[in-house]
Amino acid sequence: MFTTFTASTDYSKGDIGQLFIAGFASSMFFGTIVGSLADKRGRRRACVTYCMTYILSCITKHSPQYKVLMLGRILGGIATSLLFSAFESWLVAEHNKGLKNTDQDKGVLMFPCISILFHSCCPFFNFQRGFDQQWLSITFSKAVFLGNGLVAIISGLFANLLVDTLGLSPVAPFDAAACFLAIGMAIILSSWTENFGDSSDNKNLLAQFRSAAVAIASDEKVALLGAIQSLFEGSMYTFVFLWTPALSPNDEEIPHGFIFATFMLASMLGSSFAARLLARSSPRVESYMQIVFVVSAASLLLPILTNFLDIPSGIKGGGISFSGCIQLLGFCTFEACVGIFWPSIMKMRSQYIPEEARSTIMNFFRIPLNMFVCIVLYNVDAFPITIMFGMCSIFLIMASVLQRRLMVIAEGQKSRSEDWTAMKRDTETEPLNI
């Protein structure tokens, strides 16, 4: 997107940076509103709204007017909030609906991938109602593996084909995205059923916010999960902005496309590994995610370590340096951890977030994330890159500590539940003394 703005407009990097900040700020301010509307008015309707909103955002890229581009970024921020909440909420609700009532509505459950493109290209992942609870974890891991990994690579290659090979304008990939979004919207409208969170008429939007806030405040597991998600995703988005200057501090010529494809491959390997972990009863997701966060923190410390080991040459240009290669290895490790994180956090959200306000709570989690990213973007030149990576590592260590706390609480509640079940069973089987 940065390349599109610089190639098709005359705006400065500062102006373009404000456009990016507007997108994250829009997601922060409007996210909770659209999340609550998704719970109250319907998740299927929210998914359709995502398609329409992002199509409009893509269309605005044709305008050279700054105000129109700003409107497009605001629409993109709203669409992002819907993308990261409505689709997952719809899937979990349909899954649970199937478990509760297998005799009604024997229609096909098409799972919503993280990417509409993946959903439209992969209709073969259909599930009949009433399937095993474990299949939800498998669906999450496949969505990340195919949707966030494989389709991201194919989309990048397709965008390169449109612009470089066919000689179309830099906006052509956005036009193609709008077409795929329209296809996805048609599939949603024709094959998905509607589900809701709390659709009671006597509950307005403010009451929906209040119930979501109460759910977070009253259940420590939900609050911990939100903090963990914000810490990791904040570090992840900061990494997205920092990896290019970290690998080319002296304006080295680095193969951006090849490196991006390598990152996506590492993420796919991570999600594949997560699928194997989630398919097992041990270790539990709350347990192995502690290790994932520690490994993520260590991988983002490499730019700091190589800064002390490598002596700056002061020569501009050239190829990637030895320290850059070491950092690239660490960055690939971090991307593999990202691949493990997505299906794992989806699994934990499906377990701990209450159904009646799922989309609202998930967008509440994104408020501190978007606020942090806006601050980073606004002050990206104010701090050395090593300080930024060090801050991300600290956040990831904090996420590991909070994950440990979540595991302790979850295991404690599970143990008490098993003891109560065993005591109840012994009471029922005990013979009556007459």
Side-chain angles (χ1 to χ4, degrees), residues 188-247:
I188 294 172
L189 289 171
S190 62
S191 61
W192 289 21
T193 58
E194 186 62 276
N195 62 57
F196 303 87
D198 188 349
S199 59
S200 55
D201 294 332
N202 58 347
K203 203 169 190 180
N204 56 27
L205 206 59
L206 185 60
Q208 192 86 359
F209 292 159
R210 191 181 298 112
S211 64
V214 169
I216 296 173
S218 61
D219 191 338
E220 188 178 357
K221 299 191 300 298
V222 177
L224 287 171
L225 192 61
I228 291 167
Q229 176 180 324
S230 296
L231 289 169
F232 186 89
E233 290 192 36
S235 301
M236 180 187 69
Y237 282 114
T238 304
F239 165 78
V240 169
F241 300 124
L242 296 181
W243 72 263
T244 297
L247 295 179

Side-chain angles (χ1 to χ4, degrees), residues 412-422:
Q413 291 183 351
K414 181 182 179 182
S415 177
R416 288 193 295 270
S417 176
E418 291 176 349
D419 292 343
W420 170 256
T421 303

Side-chain angles (χ1 to χ4, degrees), residues 387-407:
I387 297 296
M388 304 293 283
F389 275 114
M391 181 175 58
C392 291
S393 294
I394 293 173
F395 284 170
L396 292 168
I397 291 296
M398 291 172 59
S400 180
V401 173
L402 296 180
Q403 184 68 63
R404 172 70 181 179
R405 173 62 180 168
L406 177 61
M407 184 191 71

Side-chain angles (χ1 to χ4, degrees), residues 55 77 79 111 150 161 172 192 221 234 272 312-313 375 380 386 394 409:
I55 287 174
F111 79 84
L150 182 62
L161 172 69
W192 289 21
K221 299 191 300 298
S272 179
S313 62
I375 294 173
V380 69
T386 52
I394 293 173
I409 295 174

